[in-house]
Amino acid sequence: MEQEVINIKGMMCGHCQAAVEKAVKAVEGVKNVKVDLEKEQADVEYDPAATDMGKIKKAVTDAGYEVVG
């Protein structure tokens, strides 16, 4: 398992936070995700044999939020 932090812009409320968590959790290979609304970050634990950060970041942008960095 690997763990990475994604910086995300555009989250304004708890609904946004939940939407990002749901989108990232739906990516095959993601084991755990915790979104911090105040820090505008998602801490993602995933299996690199099953997915990669490109797919995880795409799930965030597909949910309507901007990945920074």
Side-chain angles (χ1 to χ4, degrees):
M1 289 292 171
E2 289 191 18
Q3 196 159 349
E4 288 201 39
V5 174
I6 304 171
N7 295 309
I8 303 168
K9 293 285 184 196
M11 296 186 299
M12 302 292 186
C13 62
H15 174 75
C16 298
Q17 180 181 4
V20 171
E21 284 184 357
K22 182 178 179 182
V24 174
K25 282 181 183 176
V27 177
E28 187 176 338
V30 172
K31 181 178 181 188
N32 194 25
V33 60
K34 182 178 181 193
V35 176
D36 188 318
L37 186 60
E38 288 183 18
K39 291 182 180 178
E40 298 182 311
Q41 294 179 333
D43 189 5
V44 182
E45 184 179 2
Y46 67 99
D47 180 357
T51 193
D52 58 48
M53 286 308 297
K55 291 177 184 175
I56 295 168
K57 289 178 178 179
K58 184 178 183 318
V60 174
T61 57
D62 287 351
Y65 303 93
E66 180 184 353
V67 175
V68 181

